């Protein structure tokens, strides 16, 4: 039915490839492309023989001309970008030049600045609309499913949503003293940055890890969680009616925080280049090279994740509280696709969003965040493809 180009060959890409092959009625052909073709070939070898036809290619996602050449050669209907966030704009440029639909899981970040926001990608809206192609931004879990959850809550249970708390809990244990569950460079940049939340029409900035809460997560238990800045706060603040406050919390264990503070204190989390033996190196990129590869954690990670959203608002003049969440088991994910749950919870929604676009359910010219589409078919697909959700109207609220 459809041909998709998947750019990237890391842990999330591996999940996307597996799930596309499971959904072969939609994804009849896929091409896996990255800078390291051997990684693409390994994914192909693991999944060849099914109904989905798989090819591979080498491409530098920082090079627009190379991307254009590959897209023109393969002629996909859609590019699924699961490369690095630094590469979002070059891939969007290539999609514009070839009039190809686009989807990613995380917003653009400049490589030399620890800052991420949607403004760079939202600037493409008019150009994508004029080209007659669709760009879907942030279609992982958070951002991604959290936006779909919000649209679903707004559509079915609220006249106005006043408060949203997004809670991301990883209750898994990989056994290492220190490792990150997704790209170390992106992960450490994210958690060491200043926090912020949106309240009454303005951003309130906090120091890194300044605000801490404890929450009793269903099927995981009590965990410490910390307020971070996260990109979906920005889009939900614009797209959900009645919003007065949005916050994002993520859980961290004490061992992780202690190691991170030590690394910060000795300069290993810096993105400023330093001179070393006659060469310029970025400390954080060197640290990434010595830490365990997140794609290797699946076999040894046990426990569960719980990611969801708590809403407070009104319906027919009455206050409503609503909590919708997914619980994902690390070992069950590994048995299915050879990945831990962090990659799984990002890769499955990317496949679903791509299928929504390719089947016409989420397809209109322009650049959009996921909460701007009809949430119902996506919510149904979550139950079908491995991320079933649960809901309650009596949640424990976060103070």
């Amino acid at each position: 039915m459809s041909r998709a180009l998947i750019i990237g060959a890391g842990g999330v890409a591996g999940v996307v490839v597996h799930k596309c092959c499971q959904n072969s009625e939609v994804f009849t052909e896929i091409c896996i492309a990255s800078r390291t073709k051997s990684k693409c070939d390994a994914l192909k070898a693991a999944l060849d023989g099914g109904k989905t036809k798989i090819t591979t290619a080498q491409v530098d996602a920082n090079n627009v001309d190379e991307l254009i050449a590959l897209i023109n050669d393969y002629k996909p209907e859609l590019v699924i970008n699961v490369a690095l966030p630094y590469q979002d704009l070059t891939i969007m440029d290539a999609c514009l030049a070839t009039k190809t639909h686009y989807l990613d899981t995380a917003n653009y970040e400049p490589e030399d600045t620890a800052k991420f926001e949607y403004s760079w990608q939202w600037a493409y809206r008019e150009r994508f609309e004029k080209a007659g192609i669709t760009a879907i931004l942030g279609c992982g879990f958070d951002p991604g499913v959290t936006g779909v959850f919000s649209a679903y809550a707004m559509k079915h249970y609220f006249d106005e949503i006043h408060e949203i708390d997004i809670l991301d809990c990883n209750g898994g244990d990989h056994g290492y003293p220190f490792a990150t569950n997704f790209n170390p460079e992106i992960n450490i940049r994210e958690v060491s940055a200043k926090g912020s939340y949106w309240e009454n029409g303005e951003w309130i900035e906090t120091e890194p890890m300044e605000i801490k809460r404890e929450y009793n997560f269903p099927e995981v238990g009590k965990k410490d969680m910390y307020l971070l800045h996260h990109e979906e706060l920005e889009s939900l603040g614009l797209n959900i009616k009645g919003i007065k406050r949005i916050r994002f919390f993520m859980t961290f264990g004490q061992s992780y925080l202690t190691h991170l503070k030590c690394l910060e204190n000795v300069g290993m989390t810096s993105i400023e280049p330093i001179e070393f033996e006659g060469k310029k190196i970025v400390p954080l990129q060197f640290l990434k090279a010595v830490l365990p590869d997140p794609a290797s954690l699946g076999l040894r990670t046990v426990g569960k994740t719980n990611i969801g959203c708590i809403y407070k608002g009104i319906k027919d003049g009455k206050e409503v509280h609503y909590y919708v969440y997914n619980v994902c088991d690390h070992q069950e994910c590994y048995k299915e696709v050879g990945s831990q749950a962090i990659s799984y919870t990002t890769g499955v929604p990317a496949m679903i969003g791509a299928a929504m676009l390719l089947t016409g359910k989420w397809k209109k010219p322009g650049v959009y965040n996921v909460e701007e589409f009809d949430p119902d078919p996506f919510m149904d697909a979550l139950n079908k493809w491995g991320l079933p959700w649960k809901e309650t109207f009596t949640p424990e609220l976060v103070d």
Side-chain angles (χ1 to χ4, degrees), residues 148 155 352 356 361-362 373-382:
V148 177
K155 180 177 179 178
I352 293 173
M356 293 292 106
K361 297 181 178 71
W362 283 12
F373 296 99
D374 180 8
D376 290 359
F378 194 106
M379 294 289 281
D380 290 341
L382 286 171

Side-chain angles (χ1 to χ4, degrees), residues 4 12 78 104 145 168 217 271-272 274 279 282 310 356 372:
V12 173
L78 166 68
D104 66 32
V145 175
D168 184 324
F217 290 89
I271 62 173
E272 296 298 324
I274 62 169
K279 299 179 180 179
V282 174
I310 299 174
M356 293 292 106
E372 297 179 81

Side-chain angles (χ1 to χ4, degrees), residues 32-37 40 56-60 66 70:
I32 315 162
S34 80
R35 189 193 303 267
T36 308
K37 188 173 180 292
C40 306
T56 64
Q58 191 279 330
V59 72
D60 179 357
E66 281 192 30
L70 175 59

Side-chain angles (χ1 to χ4, degrees), residues 38-111:
S38 59
K39 292 183 178 180
C40 306
D41 293 337
L43 283 170
K44 172 180 164 65
L47 287 161
D48 246 354
K51 292 182 179 180
T52 301
K53 180 182 177 182
I54 305 173
T55 57
T56 64
Q58 191 279 330
V59 72
D60 179 357
N62 291 311
N63 188 310
V64 176
D65 290 338
E66 281 192 30
L67 290 163
I68 290 172
L70 175 59
I71 293 170
N72 281 333
D73 180 59
Y74 186 65
K75 294 181 174 57
E77 294 177 54
L78 166 68
V79 172
I80 302 173
N81 171 15
V82 279
L84 294 171
Y86 316 141
Q87 298 162 331
D88 287 358
L89 301 189
T90 55
I91 299 173
M92 289 182 78
D93 286 336
C95 286
L96 264 177
T98 57
K99 294 190 176 181
T100 308
H101 300 300
Y102 170 89
L103 177 142
D104 66 32
T105 61
N107 71 356
Y108 173 70
E109 295 183 37
E111 193 165 5

